[in-house]
Amino acid sequence: MLSEFGEERQRRLVLDYFGGDARLRLLRRTPTFGSPVFVVDFDRGARHYRTLGSFGSSIQVTEQSSMDLLYPARLVFHYERLMSLAFAMSRQAVTALLLGVGGAAMWRFMRAYLPDCAPTLVDADEVIPAIARRWFYLTDPVILEPAQQYVATTPRRFDVVLVDLYNSAGPAESDVRFWGRCLDLLNPGGCLANNWADFSVNPAVRPMADALDRVAQARGLAPIYVTKRGFRDNLVQYVPTAPGVVAEAMADIHERFIRERRPPDRGRGILENCIIATRFPIE
Ligand SMILES: C[S@@+](CC[C@H](N)C(=O)[O-])C[C@H]1O[C@@H](n2cnc3c(N)ncnc32)[C@H](O)[C@@H]1O
């Protein structure tokens, strides 16, 4: 149970963050996530959103996943749209591993725009997928296991591996062993993409991104980094394994993705004002 005081304070924090008209739908503890999580509905102009949120190490509100209530298959966060490009950076997109379920945004997108690609979902916290089922339309099963354990033991292979592992303390710990296993799971020509939130201010990010870089380079693979110019919030690190999928080809890959998959808004803005780099974009 949340204590009365804690719960009241958390309600206030949510309403301060999302606005007094926001409707808090759920506030509950989780076994492994590290803070209570909540579901809140709110309006921004004519758009209506539902967000799965949590509380950071201090008392700040953190958005884990968001859904446009009128167009649930649209990816609300820009970094998710960037991650969706991994499907076009892979030689084929028949199977995908989603590490970190959250509010199932990527799963809804896949179902609508990549219906021929079978997702496998993994999450460490049983409460999150239960919330995704109740509030975010998830209907597929979820493997309840830490991602590190899943990738270490699964015999399966995937065309696309999307890593988006966060809890109340920030990004899940990842080392060379984890990234080596993630790359082992790729089919030939497959692509991995990882989301680094707060990459310019969180000192934990760089060593983990470097670990992935090293593991990739040791296999002769060249990571690609994409982030919104001047935004410095989320950075997506891709490791494509298909020949020719290089930083210079991203614009063409983006165009092909739009032609073949027809994402919302014709994919406008996915790469607009983005830095596309072959190294971590800040020193
Ligand atoms: C930002 S959310 C993912 C959002 C998701 N990409 C989407 O499409 O909505 C982060 C998720 O990672 C999960 N997570 C954190 N650490 C984990 C770990 N070590 N293994 C598996 N899941 C983990 C959390 O429970 C949470 O559901």
Side-chain angles (χ1 to χ4, degrees):
M1 291 289 289
L2 298 163
S3 81
E4 282 299 301
F5 174 72
E7 181 168 338
E8 197 37 53
R9 185 159 174 247
Q10 282 153 359
R11 278 175 194 281
R12 241 184 303 118
L13 283 170
V14 172
L15 295 186
D16 282 352
Y17 187 94
F18 291 95
D21 290 340
R23 282 85 62 196
L24 186 60
R25 302 297 194 196
L26 178 93
L27 176 63
R28 65 172 287 189
R29 284 240 165 109
T30 52
T32 65
F33 194 87
S35 85
V37 294
F38 60 84
V39 175
V40 65
D41 291 351
F42 59 98
D43 309 324
R44 291 284 176 270
R47 313 296 286 262
H48 310 290
Y49 296 98
R50 172 167 295 162
T51 286
L52 171 68
S54 63
F55 301 94
S57 48
S58 52
I59 47 163
Q60 100 262 13
V61 165
T62 309
E63 297 184 55
Q64 294 290 334
S65 188
S66 196
M67 175 167 82
D68 184 322
L69 284 162
L70 277 181
Y71 304 103
R74 292 187 181 195
L75 294 170
V76 174
F77 296 148
H78 177 252
Y79 88 82
E80 293 173 327
R81 298 198 284 276
L82 280 181
M83 287 186 91
S84 72
L85 287 181
F87 293 102
M89 295 165 74
S90 175
R91 191 180 293 159
Q92 59 171 27
V94 177
T95 54
L97 174 63
L98 307 185
L99 296 176
V101 172
M106 193 55 80
W107 175 82
R108 285 190 307 279
F109 176 83
M110 282 185 66
R111 210 171 58 139
Y113 297 97
L114 295 129
D116 42 358
C117 184
T120 294
L121 295 91
V122 176
D123 203 282
D125 194 303
E126 68 195 47
V127 166
I128 306 284
I131 292 175
R133 253 180 251 298
R134 168 64 182 83
W135 296 97
F136 294 90
Y137 307 139
L138 176 67
T139 51
D140 274 6
V142 173
I143 298 164
L144 291 175
E145 198 176 357
Q148 295 79 353
Q149 195 175 305
Y150 180 77
V151 301
T153 53
T154 183
R156 300 182 55 193
R157 295 294 176 265
F158 304 91
D159 299 315
V160 173
V161 174
L162 299 185
V163 187
D164 190 11
L165 298 170
Y166 284 81
N167 58 31
S168 67
E173 267 185 42
S174 56
D175 55 13
V176 289
R177 195 186 163 98
F178 174 74
W179 293 120
R181 276 306 294 159
C182 286
L183 293 182
D184 288 344
L185 297 191
L186 286 175
N187 281 326
C191 183
L192 173 144
N194 179 73
N195 167 38
W196 296 116
D198 299 328
F199 72 99
S200 61
V201 290
N202 183 346
V205 166
R206 182 69 193 264
M208 296 196 283
D210 284 350
L212 173 53
D213 201 293
R214 275 200 307 281
V215 171
Q217 304 276 3
R219 294 171 188 224
L221 303 170
I224 302 171
Y225 299 83
V226 184
T227 184
K228 218 37 155 204
R229 198 175 292 280
F231 187 48
R232 302 214 153 180
D233 207 345
N234 289 82
L235 167 72
V236 175
Q237 185 177 15
Y238 306 90
V239 182
T241 66
V245 181
V246 292
E248 296 74 25
M250 287 301 281
D252 290 345
I253 289 165
H254 176 230
E255 268 185 30
R256 184 160 48 77
F257 185 57
I258 292 165
R259 241 186 358 258
E260 291 176 1
R261 300 298 181 172
R262 306 203 168 263
D265 297 330
R266 293 203 203 93
R268 226 185 2 247
I270 298 184
L271 285 182
E272 216 170 70
N273 292 322
C274 282
I275 297 170
I276 302 172
T278 52
R279 292 185 182 179
F280 197 85
I282 47 174
E283 283 314 314

